[in-house]
Amino acid sequence: MRTQDFIQKIKSNEIDIVEHTHKAIEECKKLNKEYNYFNAISEELAIKQANDIKKQLKQDKNSLKNKKLLGVAVSAKDAICVKGIESTAGSRILKGYKPLFDATVIKKAVEQGAIIIGKTAQDEFGFGSFNVNVGLGFEIPKNPFDKTRACGGSSGGAAGITQKASFPHIALGESTGGSIAAPASFCGVFGLTPTYGRVSRHGLIDYGNSLDKIGTLGKNAYDAALLLEAIAGFDNNESTTINEPINNYTDSINKKRNNIRIGVIKETFRDIDGKVEKNARNGIEKLKENGAKIEEVSLSLPVKYGLAAYYILATSEASTNLAKYCGMRYGMSEELKGNFNEYFSKVRSEHLGTEVKRRIILGTFARMSGYRDAYYIKAAKVRAKIIQEYKRLFKKYDALVSPTMPILPPKFSEIEKLSPLQNYMMDIMTVSPNLAGLPHLNVPVGFEEKLPVGMMLTADHLEEGKLLQIGSLFDEE
Amino acid sequence: MKAKVDEKLIEHVADVARLKISEKEKKQFVKELKEILDTFSKLDEVDTKGIDVSLQPVELKNVLREDKAKECLSQEEALSLTQNKKDGYFKGPRAI
C-alpha cells in the first residue's frame, strides 16, 4: 500500500492504528532476529503514540486532517536521540544512555503524526561503508537480498528495514560521507541526503560537524520527500540550519519537467564493476527516454582528491567530537580510579571499537602541531576547490549522475580481506557531494545477480525538489 | 608531505587522544596509517595557492539570540544518567 493511501485510511478509520502498529512491531521483532536491523525497538513508545492518535481521531478528527505522516512508522538511525529510548550511535561507550530530550527531527516527525518504531543499526558513530564496524557487543545487519552480504553503511539498519518492512515505513538516516546513499544502494531503496543545514541536527550524536546531515530513506521518492518535508527547516536550537523556506517536496514528485539537463560524470565510470556500470548506464538511458538532455562532464578534482580530503577532515572533526566520551556524565562509566587522564583513557580504551580508535588516531594526527598545515589545512583548501568545481557545473546542469557504489553489495568474507584504506576507497563516489554539502539521492536502477544496483543523482544546494522530481522517474508504477 | 609513521608516533598520538592501545594494535595502526597517509599525501599535488580554507560547505552567518534565561534541564535530570555524582554535582576522577 502506498504511504499516501495508508494515511487516508488512517484518517478515515478504515485501518485501526493501534492494531496496525502492534502488527508492525511484531514484524520488526521477527525481522530483527533474522537480519539485525534494530539496536532498539521502541514498542512501548510506538503503542502509546498509536493510542494517542486513536484517541484524537475519536475526539477531534478535524485536528488531524493536515498531518503529513499520520500513523506512518518511522525508524531513526541509532545516532538520533529519542527521549527515553536507548540511543548509542552503535557504540558500547553509550550503552544505557537514554536521552532526556527528542532530537528536533523526532519532535517534528511526531508532530506530523509519525510513530517512532525504533533505533536502527549503524557502524559505530557512523564510521564505516558496510555497517560491519559495529560497536562492541552489537550485531551486524544483513543484506535483505542475501544474508551473507552487507547492507552498506553506515545507516545499514535504516536501509535494510526500509526494504523489508511490509507496512508503510520511512527511515531517518544520517550521512557524513555517504552513509545514506551507500546502504540505500546496497538495499535497493531511495536514500536522500539533503543540503548541509537543510535539516536540524539538534539531538544528533555527531561525527563531523561540517559534514553531518540527517536525511530520509524510503521505498520510493515520494516517501523520502514526505519525511523530508516534515523535518526540514530552520531550528532555533541549531545554528547551522538554513533559514530559507521549505519547498513542498511531494509536489515535485511525478511532475513533468522539460529540458532536464544531466551531466554524466565520466571519471566515476572508470575502474568499477562492469555490472554496476551496465545498470547505471540503463538508468541514464531512462532519463534520456524521459526527455532529459544528457552530456558527459569531467569532475576530475573531486574524484581524484575528494577521498583524501574527506577522510582527513572527517576524522579530524570526529577526533574532537569523541573527546566527550569519557565515562563521566552519561553512557558507560567505571569505578573512579586513578587521575583523570588514566580514568578517561581506561574507559575509552575498553569501550570504543577498533575503527573508532583508528579514526581518532588519524584525526588527532592530522590536527597535531607540525602536521596540521600539511593535512588538515591542506584538505580544507582542497575542499574549497571541490565546491568551486561543482558550482561551475551546476551553472549548466540540473543534476549530475554517477554510480552510487563501485561494486555490488559485497560478501562479509570479502570485506574481511580489505585493508582500512581499501575500505575507505569504496566511498569514492559519495564523499565529494558530502564535502560540498550538496543534496544527493540514490535511486535503484536495476538488479544484477539478484542484487540491487544504485545510481546517484546530485543537485545544487537547496535543490532537493529538483532532485526528487528527477528521482521519481525511477518510482515503480 | 610524508610523515614518518612509526610506533613512537602512534604511541604519542594515542596518548594525546587519551587512548590506551595494545602492542598488537600499535603495530597494526603503524602499518595501516602508513598506507593511508602515503596515499592521502597526494593532496600535495593540488595547487591551493591563494585558496581560502573551506570549513563548511555553505555560507553560514552568526546566529544570535536574546540573552534571556530559558527553561532547561533540572539539576536532578542532568545528573540522572550517571552513577558518579555527589551532593548535586558530577563526581570525576582526581585531577592530579
Side-chain angles (χ1 to χ4, degrees):
Chain A
M1 195 189 320
R2 297 191 314 167
T3 306
Q4 53 269 53
D5 301 332
F6 169 81
I7 294 170
Q8 282 316 315
K9 285 189 180 0
I10 293 292
K11 288 181 182 171
S12 63
N13 269 322
E14 275 173 75
I15 295 175
D16 183 295
I17 180 63
V18 176
E19 224 173 87
H20 168 85
T21 304
H22 272 294
K23 269 191 214 153
I25 292 287
E26 284 317 308
E27 187 179 325
C28 290
K29 283 186 189 165
K30 211 175 140 207
L31 282 171
N32 209 33
K33 276 187 193 143
E34 224 179 315
Y35 292 95
N36 307 323
Y37 292 148
F38 289 93
N39 287 347
I41 293 173
S42 48
E43 180 169 11
E44 219 173 289
L45 174 67
I47 301 300
K48 188 193 168 292
Q49 287 168 336
N51 273 311
D52 287 349
I53 291 172
K54 191 173 180 175
K55 216 164 112 191
Q56 188 72 11
L57 276 169
K58 263 191 200 148
Q59 279 170 1
D60 183 10
K61 209 172 161 181
N62 252 341
S63 66
L64 297 174
K65 74 168 193 268
N66 292 324
K67 298 287 181 194
K68 289 178 194 291
L69 295 165
L70 196 69
V72 177
V74 168
S75 62
K77 185 177 183 177
D78 202 11
I80 299 168
C81 286
V82 178
K83 188 177 177 179
I85 306 297
E86 190 176 66
S87 299
T88 68
S91 181
R92 187 162 82 187
I93 206 156
L94 281 171
K95 233 12 206 166
Y97 170 56
K98 291 184 178 174
L100 300 165
F101 66 104
D102 279 327
T104 299
V105 290
I106 298 294
K107 217 172 119 198
K108 283 189 158 185
V110 171
E111 267 166 19
Q112 292 298 331
I115 307 262
I116 307 298
I117 56 168
K119 310 295 307 293
T120 50
Q122 61 166 95
D123 288 289
E124 188 172 10
F125 291 112
F127 296 169
S129 318
F130 301 120
N131 210 152
V132 298
N133 298 334
V134 296
L136 300 161
F138 287 83
E139 301 288 341
I140 294 170
K142 296 170 187 167
N143 191 287
F145 295 95
D146 178 349
K147 281 187 260 181
T148 67
R149 293 174 191 269
C151 270
S154 66
S155 310
I161 188 65
T162 300
Q163 175 57 249
K164 284 302 261 190
S166 71
F167 51 89
H169 158 268
I170 317 174
L172 286 167
E174 180 276 334
S175 172
T176 305
S179 284
I180 291 175
S185 172
F186 284 170
C187 294
V189 298
F190 288 73
L192 173 68
T193 305
T195 307
Y196 177 80
R198 177 74 294 190
V199 175
S200 168
R201 300 172 296 174
H202 177 63
L204 173 73
I205 299 171
D206 44 8
Y207 167 176
N209 305 74
S210 83
L211 293 153
D212 297 343
K213 299 156 294 284
I214 293 179
T216 63
L217 298 96
K219 278 205 172 80
N220 48 51
Y222 183 91
D223 284 1
L226 183 67
L227 185 55
L228 178 68
E229 218 170 274
I231 61 170
F234 178 73
D235 180 6
N236 264 325
N237 285 325
E238 218 266 71
S239 60
T240 60
T241 45
I242 299 170
N243 203 353
E244 294 280 338
I246 307 159
N247 296 332
N248 253 330
Y249 300 114
T250 46
D251 282 355
S252 321
I253 302 291
N254 300 325
K255 206 180 256 177
K256 187 106 181 105
R257 186 194 175 96
N258 295 318
N259 310 320
I260 300 172
R261 300 155 306 167
I262 301 280
V264 176
I265 308 168
K266 66 176 180 197
E267 290 87 352
T268 60
F269 285 86
R270 287 180 197 150
D271 305 322
I272 61 169
D273 187 328
K275 293 168 197 132
V276 171
E277 171 166 8
K278 186 185 98 188
N279 282 275
R281 297 263 182 223
N282 288 345
I284 294 164
E285 202 48 43
K286 187 161 182 173
L287 292 171
K288 207 171 166 182
E289 283 162 20
N290 279 280
K293 200 175 143 214
I294 312 283
E295 279 174 16
E296 205 167 68
V297 298
S298 173
L299 202 62
S300 60
L301 188 93
V303 177
K304 204 165 170 195
Y305 301 106
L307 206 71
Y310 168 77
Y311 271 95
I312 289 170
L313 293 171
T315 57
S316 293
E317 293 183 23
S319 67
T320 64
N321 275 329
L322 268 59
K324 61 182 167 275
Y325 304 115
C326 57
M328 275 275 293
R329 294 172 293 271
Y330 49 84
M332 278 290 186
S333 62
E334 303 271 335
E335 194 193 337
L336 292 173
K337 255 195 207 160
N339 68 32
F340 67 84
N341 275 342
E342 287 160 356
Y343 176 76
F344 295 162
S345 302
K346 181 171 187 282
V347 174
R348 290 160 63 77
S349 308
E350 266 174 36
H351 299 296
L352 294 173
T354 304
E355 181 60 23
V356 176
K357 290 180 188 167
R358 187 179 291 117
R359 291 201 191 192
I360 290 176
I361 288 176
L362 182 58
T364 304
F365 166 79
R367 290 183 296 113
M368 244 162 50
S369 109
Y371 302 105
R372 191 172 182 271
D373 286 349
Y375 290 96
Y376 180 73
I377 297 295
K378 183 76 184 180
K381 286 182 177 173
V382 172
R383 180 183 199 178
K385 280 193 97 165
I386 288 174
I387 298 171
Q388 282 172 9
E389 227 179 272
Y390 272 110
K391 282 290 186 188
R392 183 175 55 78
L393 283 176
F394 285 124
K395 284 192 185 135
K396 226 181 135 189
Y397 300 97
D398 295 300
L400 302 176
V401 165
S402 71
T404 305
M405 295 302 281
I407 55 169
L408 293 172
K411 282 188 185 294
F412 293 118
S413 55
E414 293 166 340
I415 297 169
E416 272 170 26
K417 291 180 201 134
L418 299 176
S419 74
L421 179 67
Q422 288 170 322
N423 234 299
Y424 299 168
M425 307 272 265
M426 296 299 162
D427 301 339
I428 182 90
M429 318 289 180
T430 58
V431 284
S432 291
N434 279 280
L435 272 175
L438 296 163
H440 52 285
L441 174 73
N442 174 72
V443 293
V445 283
F447 278 86
E448 200 64 50
E449 296 166 12
K450 294 183 182 160
L451 298 167
V453 180
M455 182 176 88
M456 189 170 73
L457 295 159
T458 304
D460 202 358
H461 292 134
L462 295 176
E463 294 287 5
E464 285 81 1
K466 208 187 260 180
L467 198 58
L468 285 157
Q469 186 176 27
I470 301 170
S472 65
L473 294 170
F474 295 87
D475 277 351
E476 285 168 19
E477 277 154 353
Chain B
M1 165 170 185
K2 271 199 181 161
K4 190 171 171 282
V5 182
D6 54 19
E7 290 192 19
K8 215 177 126 198
L9 178 73
I10 295 296
E11 215 169 287
H12 176 58
V13 178
D15 188 50
V16 170
R18 305 283 177 265
L19 286 173
K20 262 189 235 155
I21 51 173
S22 66
E23 282 300 313
K24 202 182 137 209
E25 280 177 318
K26 205 193 300 172
K27 288 204 166 64
Q28 187 190 337
F29 287 155
V30 168
K31 192 172 146 241
E32 292 165 350
L33 262 70
K34 226 181 229 169
E35 191 193 17
I36 292 167
L37 291 169
D38 274 357
T39 307
F40 287 2
S41 67
K42 77 172 174 189
L43 285 183
D44 292 348
E45 298 164 17
V46 185
D47 180 10
T48 50
K49 218 181 268 162
I51 299 277
D52 277 338
V53 294
S54 177
L55 300 177
Q56 66 275 313
V58 289
E59 204 189 324
L60 297 171
K61 291 192 185 92
N62 266 338
V63 181
L64 304 173
R65 62 168 172 80
E66 273 188 85
D67 189 17
K68 272 188 186 159
K70 282 194 298 188
E71 256 190 68
C72 63
L73 292 180
S74 69
Q75 201 175 10
E76 203 174 79
E77 282 175 308
L79 289 165
S80 66
L81 297 168
T82 182
Q83 305 299 315
N84 296 324
K85 54 193 159 188
K86 199 183 172 190
D87 305 331
Y89 294 97
F90 289 108
K91 191 180 169 194
R94 61 188 163 79
I96 44 166

